[in-house]
Amino acid sequence: MKTHYLIELAAIAALVTSACSDDGNADTTGEDIGTETDTDTTDTSTETTTDTGTETDTTTDTETETETGTETDTDTGTETDTETDTDTEGGACVGNDGTSEETAASSCLEILENGCSVGDGSYWVMPGEVAFETNCDMTTDGGGWTEISLPHLCNGDLVTTMTAIEAAEEEGIDDACRPFTADGAGDHTYVFDVEFPPTFEAFYLSDYSMRANGDDPSGILGALFTQSDWNDANGGTVQGDVSFGSADDLGPVVSYGSENEEVNCDSCETVFASNDTPFSVGAASASFRIGWGEAGSEDEGWYPWWAGSVYLR
């Protein structure tokens, strides 16, 4: 019995020892699994946070600021500056600008008043029925002066009329559109009118000259006679005069007799002493007038407009 009992105790002890060994192995396995799980979780969290934050911030800031700011500033500034630089000298051009036959203005003054002046130079004007190119003085005394030169007098551009108040033996208009007279041995008075429908209130002569015409010397002596009445260009003296003004006034506003020293020759050319000086007429007029004449017993006369231009405004 005793022996049997000891054998059973030994068996029980062996079972207890085996159970303890099994519990130790179970603990070791649990620790290994826990460690692996924590490591995997940490790696996943780190990758997600870093990649997402960096990509989102960088892409959004760069694209939005660069594209929007650059396009808006450049386009607006360039368009505004270009339009301002193309403005004309007188501001916004409205109406006929005189740059072509189709846009001819009635006068250089109209071009100036329309705000279409680009300075002195050639423009198209149509004072009457025909458009033609001429020079516009956009500088002198505020500008707006229309040039009338000899070719315009007989080519159909302007209407002109030569009238004998006291007729000369010889009269006419030469191939260069210049009126002339020679009285033989008598007295004469003439006027030459240039129609300018837009009207003018002032004029000046530029590079202007007249020429004596006759077999004998023609004379102008302001101290003896200066024309003041269109109907009398010699005053009953042995002198004459060449004068300028409006056909609507009773007489001229200026003449060779009032501006030049004595003229006494048979074929000399005499420059007007007050070229480029503006003179005002009595009222707005549509007819510019030149008057001239001579008196005495000799063959005397004039080309009252030999060279140069008249400017009207």
Side-chain angles (χ1 to χ4, degrees):
M1 280 294 286
K2 186 176 179 179
T3 302
H4 180 72
Y5 177 74
L6 292 174
I7 293 172
E8 288 180 347
L9 288 175
I12 291 170
L15 288 173
V16 170
T17 302
S18 175
C20 290
S21 300
D22 291 340
D23 288 343
N25 291 336
D27 291 340
T28 302
T29 302
E31 290 176 2
D32 292 340
I33 294 173
T35 302
E36 292 175 0
T37 301
D38 292 342
T39 302
D40 291 343
T41 302
T42 302
D43 291 343
T44 301
S45 174
T46 301
E47 290 175 1
T48 301
T49 301
T50 302
D51 292 345
T52 302
T54 301
E55 292 177 1
T56 301
D57 293 342
T58 302
T59 302
T60 303
D61 293 343
T62 301
E63 292 179 357
T64 302
E65 292 177 3
T66 301
E67 292 178 3
T68 304
T70 302
E71 291 179 1
T72 302
D73 293 342
T74 302
D75 292 345
T76 303
T78 302
E79 291 177 2
T80 303
D81 292 341
T82 300
E83 292 175 359
T84 302
D85 291 343
T86 57
D87 285 348
T88 59
E89 193 176 83
C93 176
V94 179
N96 293 323
D97 58 12
T99 59
S100 67
E101 184 175 1
E102 291 73 21
T103 60
S106 63
S107 67
C108 297
L109 181 59
E110 182 187 357
I111 295 171
L112 181 67
E113 291 177 339
N114 286 347
C116 302
S117 168
V118 291
D120 298 344
S122 181
Y123 295 79
W124 281 86
V125 297
M126 190 166 66
E129 299 297 323
V130 179
F132 58 88
E133 282 188 278
T134 193
N135 186 62
C136 288
D137 174 359
M138 298 300 192
T139 304
T140 301
D141 192 32
W145 302 88
T146 303
E147 180 187 28
I148 306 299
S149 57
L150 285 168
H152 300 305
L153 304 184
C154 63
N155 65 358
D157 288 345
L158 298 169
V159 176
T160 62
T161 306
M162 181 172 170
T163 304
I165 297 171
E166 186 177 9
E169 183 177 295
E170 182 182 359
E171 65 175 48
I173 295 176
D174 72 6
D175 293 340
C177 304
R178 298 175 293 206
F180 65 88
T181 57
D183 59 18
D187 302 342
H188 70 283
T189 295
Y190 278 74
V191 294
F192 184 79
D193 296 332
V194 181
E195 301 306 317
F196 192 71
T199 73
F200 70 99
E201 296 180 355
F203 69 91
Y204 73 84
L205 311 183
S206 180
D207 297 322
Y208 194 96
S209 65
M210 61 86 167
R211 181 176 181 270
N213 181 50
D215 293 333
D216 299 306
S218 299
I220 296 175
L221 182 59
L224 185 60
F225 172 75
T226 298
Q227 186 174 11
S228 59
D229 184 341
W230 291 122
N231 295 313
D232 184 3
N234 54 64
T237 68
V238 293
Q239 301 295 317
D241 203 354
V242 176
S243 56
F244 313 94
S246 162
D248 296 324
D249 293 339
L250 295 176
V253 296
V254 68
S255 73
Y256 268 80
S258 67
E259 303 300 307
N260 285 63
E261 296 181 1
E262 180 181 4
V263 177
N264 188 31
C265 58
D266 57 8
S267 61
C268 62
E269 179 182 353
T270 305
V271 174
F272 185 57
S274 296
N275 271 322
D276 303 317
T277 300
F279 297 95
S280 298
V281 296
S285 175
S287 184
F288 176 74
R289 173 169 284 182
I290 301 174
W292 73 96
E294 248 289 5
S297 58
E298 300 178 320
D299 182 29
E300 303 158 321
W302 306 105
Y303 278 92
W305 188 346
W306 179 255
S309 301
V310 175
Y311 281 82
L312 305 178
R313 185 185 67 183

